[in-house]
Amino acid sequence: MKRPRYITVPEHVRAINVGPATVIVNYRNGRAETLIGPAARWWDEATTSGYAEVPGVLDGLAEQTLCRQLLEAGLISPTFSRRPGQHTASGPPWVPSWGTQEMTAGRGEPVRVPFGVTARAGVALAVVLGVLGAGRKRRRMARLVWLLTWIARRSTGSATADQARLAINAVRRAGLVVPGRVACLEESAAVAVMLALSRQRVTWCHGAAADPVRLHAWVETDDGHRVAEPPSTARFAVLRAIPERDNGGENDA
């Protein structure tokens, strides 16, 4: 693949600097890449300037290889004219945890919730799994983003932390009987769908953290309170939020 002269970052791609690395996510196919050192610097300078060639950062072969890989992943696009893309966002100040903050390795004892609430959670979870599983795999994340954007626009009230917590506990219980993968992505989306059935709204968040580099999805109330999450989730910087945040840092796919 010949390296183009000009590149830009598509609207469905988000990038954030989490300290020792830059994390880039394609919100159409869900593919994520992590760049460090000179590669991360090349990304920042190339996407800011709009030029595919950045002198003095990588040698010619490394630059060509990185550019080709990012093009194939759909994280940058060639253009016929110079069109600087969106800037790489900056996460919260990164401080090594030295192992003092760890994500939970297993699930705790599920919280009991009324059967009717669990049944609604099961419906919401089925909707999410159906959206993710239907159609082409390379568009699965785009379908999920469309669903979350659609329900957010039709929700008229803000869910309280207690309402969101009840929904989370119900979705987690419903997920115990699902024969497929139900992790943070599926759970958080199902919580948003479940609450939307009652016209209640939460903010769905997808973010990245370092130490080590990882992705996570969760829900927040309108005031920014992260619901039913361990303290270590505070280390995650938001890559994508639905509904969009007022700071303009998020865009529709």
Side-chain angles (χ1 to χ4, degrees):
M1 178 185 294
K2 183 180 179 181
R3 180 176 54 185
R5 181 179 181 184
Y6 306 109
I7 61 168
T8 191
V9 181
E11 285 295 318
H12 57 270
V13 171
R14 299 289 185 276
I16 195 161
N17 185 330
V18 292
T22 293
V23 180
I24 314 162
V25 176
N26 183 329
Y27 281 96
R28 281 186 178 167
N29 58 24
R31 182 167 177 174
E33 296 289 345
T34 300
L35 303 180
I36 61 174
R41 182 183 164 197
W42 181 91
W43 166 274
D44 188 52
E45 295 190 19
T47 56
T48 299
S49 68
Y51 289 104
E53 185 174 347
V54 181
V57 177
L58 295 169
D59 64 57
L61 180 59
E63 183 177 60
Q64 187 171 352
T65 301
L66 177 61
C67 188
R68 183 184 69 250
Q69 291 173 341
L70 294 173
L71 285 166
E72 291 174 348
L75 300 176
I76 57 175
S77 298
T79 62
F80 293 105
S81 60
R82 181 171 172 266
R83 293 190 311 173
Q86 43 183 294
H87 293 282
T88 300
S90 295
W94 179 74
V95 178
S97 72
W98 308 115
T100 60
Q101 287 187 333
E102 300 291 341
M103 294 295 291
T104 303
R107 292 181 180 272
E109 186 70 21
V111 178
R112 295 183 64 86
V113 295
F115 175 77
V117 179
T118 304
R120 291 199 301 274
V123 172
L125 191 54
V127 169
V128 170
L129 295 176
V131 167
L132 287 172
R136 297 181 180 179
K137 187 176 181 179
R138 67 173 181 264
R139 297 280 301 181
R140 67 190 302 270
M141 197 66 170
R143 294 192 296 272
L144 183 64
V145 168
W146 177 88
L147 172 66
L148 293 169
T149 302
W150 185 79
I151 64 170
R153 290 172 178 167
R154 283 154 181 78
S155 300
T156 57
S158 302
T160 66
D162 287 340
Q163 290 169 331
R165 187 174 296 106
L166 177 63
I168 291 170
N169 290 331
V171 168
R172 288 175 178 171
R173 285 195 70 88
L176 295 176
V177 299
V178 173
R181 177 189 186 274
V182 179
C184 63
L185 182 69
E186 294 82 3
E187 281 185 356
S188 57
V191 169
V193 171
M194 178 182 172
L195 290 168
L197 295 175
S198 302
R199 297 284 185 172
Q200 296 171 332
R201 178 184 63 250
V202 287
T203 300
W204 177 83
C205 298
H206 188 248
D211 191 30
V213 174
R214 58 202 187 276
L215 298 172
H216 184 50
W218 66 94
V219 297
E220 297 181 359
T221 54
D222 280 0
D223 60 3
H225 175 69
R226 302 186 182 199
V227 184
E229 290 290 326
S232 56
T233 307
R235 299 179 68 87
F236 284 84
V238 176
L239 272 159
R240 186 75 194 258
I242 302 174
E244 297 179 25
R245 294 181 179 276
D246 292 337
N247 61 13
E250 311 298 332
N251 301 305
D252 285 341

